[in-house]
Amino acid sequence: MLEVKNLGLTLKGDEGEIQVLKDMNFKLEDKKIYVMTGPNGGGKSALSKAIMGIYQSTSGQILLNGEDITNKTIYERARMGIGYAFQQPARFKGIKVRELLEIASDKNKVPEMCDLLYDVGLCAQDYLEREINTSFSGGEVKRIEIATILARDLKLAIFDEPEAGIDLWSMQRLTETFVKMNEKYNTTILIISHQERILNLADEVIMVADGTVSEITTREKVLGEIRQIDSDCRCRQSCNKGGKAIADCDR
Ligand SMILES: Nc1ncnc2c1ncn2[C@@H]1O[C@H](COP(=O)(O)OP(=O)(O)OP(=O)(O)O)[C@@H](O)[C@H]1O
Ligand SMILES: [Mg+2]
């Protein structure tokens, strides 16, 4: 459904131009859940913004269901069914949560909006008529932003580190919501995440490093690698604590 071909992106930094993305190639298929992960600064958010049209790519192509959208604006891409929840959402100060959900979607009946807030773990009675201001915590703003994406009937929904600032209880609910969105609305979902709970949802994992796709792999492989690093570190830690040599570890 989405094809990224030889995509490149150059941005202006403080010390001149930086090549943020280079020669990126991958395809997303209909109705699958993808998790994108990789080292900090690798280019995951920049890629999402290039897909959404927030950054205009400098080379290559982006196709949505065969149609070239490379030169389309953010609004056109939104109308075509792409949605992006920012890693660090903006605070739309001065409007109520209900008003923001009304602007974001056609689900503007109160019961529908209540369901959306429950899906991101917020109690609708407490939030619907609340004005968005500085009294909102980072996690609350993040969850409201995610609700605005869930509210839309999207072909491709991109969530940039949805776990950031979200407590464990709400995270459980949110992972169920992603699965529900994928199954009920046939939305292809791309989640950028570093979290095991999210990696567990992935049909495929896209590894991004140094501005390019380094590997497209299975969740089992990535989770196996993470566990290996974890156990290596534990070994080293216990050796150091006990004042013994690393060779004394039982592995
Ligand atoms: N607006 C910008 N102007 C200049 N450089 C940018 C801009 N946005 C991102 N970059 C640079 O592009 C690179 C990739 O950044 P990006 O935010 O995409 O990384 P990321 O993979 O999302 O990292 P993280 O896991 O920390 O969120 C970084 O080196 C960053 O400094
Ligand atoms: Mg990022």
Side-chain angles (χ1 to χ4, degrees):
M1 60 98 54
L2 189 92
E3 190 172 358
V4 169
K5 283 173 146 178
N6 309 316
L7 197 76
L9 172 69
T10 305
L11 292 173
K12 279 205 178 71
D14 293 339
E15 287 151 25
E17 294 200 326
I18 314 167
Q19 182 148 31
V20 174
L21 304 178
K22 45 191 179 252
D23 203 24
M24 279 212 147
N25 287 288
F26 65 92
K27 279 184 192 173
L28 304 184
E29 286 172 33
D30 272 338
K31 303 172 197 171
K32 281 197 174 177
I33 299 182
Y34 294 87
V35 176
M36 185 179 283
T37 193
N40 295 133
K44 303 176 295 296
S45 297
L47 171 65
S48 313
K49 290 177 188 168
I51 295 172
M52 189 66 244
I54 298 164
Y55 290 156
Q56 182 57 52
S57 49
T58 31
S59 57
Q61 276 183 308
I62 305 170
L63 308 176
L64 182 68
N65 291 328
E67 186 176 347
D68 191 340
I69 60 164
T70 319
N71 295 315
K72 294 212 184 284
T73 62
I74 175 172
Y75 307 107
E76 287 169 320
R77 296 184 205 203
R79 277 196 292 271
M80 290 174 85
I82 304 178
Y84 172 61
F86 282 81
Q87 185 170 351
Q88 285 156 335
R91 275 170 204 257
F92 294 98
K93 283 184 200 157
I95 61 171
K96 290 179 178 172
V97 172
R98 179 179 49 74
E99 291 164 337
L100 184 64
L101 290 173
E102 276 172 5
I103 297 166
S105 78
D106 52 359
K107 293 189 181 115
N108 51 17
K109 295 189 185 78
V110 168
E112 290 174 328
M113 289 193 271
C114 290
D115 288 348
L116 286 170
L117 290 175
Y118 281 119
D119 282 343
V120 293
L122 292 177
C123 178
Q125 289 90 322
D126 294 345
Y127 284 90
L128 209 54
E129 295 303 328
R130 227 175 113 180
E131 197 172 292
I132 302 172
N133 55 31
T134 46
S135 73
F136 275 70
S137 75
E140 287 170 328
V141 172
K142 184 91 181 163
R143 285 194 263 176
I144 290 162
E145 156 106 344
I146 293 170
T148 65
I149 297 297
L150 299 174
R152 294 171 54 205
D153 188 5
L154 292 169
K155 290 198 180 81
L156 172 63
I158 308 172
F159 298 95
D160 198 343
E161 298 199 23
E163 70 265 25
I166 303 224
D167 59 72
L168 289 172
W169 296 269
S170 309
M171 205 53 222
Q172 174 60 29
R173 171 142 213 139
L174 207 54
T175 51
E176 288 162 12
T177 302
F178 291 140
V179 173
K180 191 172 82 183
M181 184 185 197
N182 173 252
E183 285 172 355
K184 194 167 166 196
Y185 300 105
N186 290 331
T187 304
T188 300
I189 300 184
L190 176 61
I191 313 173
I192 297 168
S193 178
H194 304 286
Q195 218 193 45
E196 193 167 335
R197 194 194 286 260
I198 300 272
L199 277 161
N200 267 317
L201 302 178
D203 292 309
E204 280 182 47
V205 179
I206 303 172
M207 303 287 293
V208 170
D210 293 328
T212 199
V213 174
S214 58
E215 195 181 7
I216 298 177
T217 184
T218 60
R219 61 171 179 240
E220 289 77 13
K221 182 162 180 260
V222 178
L223 289 169
E225 283 168 4
I226 291 170
R227 286 186 194 119
Q228 183 63 52
I229 293 168
D230 194 37
S231 88
D232 286 352
C233 289
R234 272 180 219 285
C235 170
R236 196 176 281 270
Q237 236 175 29
S238 64
C239 291
N240 289 345
K241 269 193 194 149
K244 293 179 197 160
I246 285 161
D248 282 354
C249 284
D250 56 358
R251 336 178 19 255

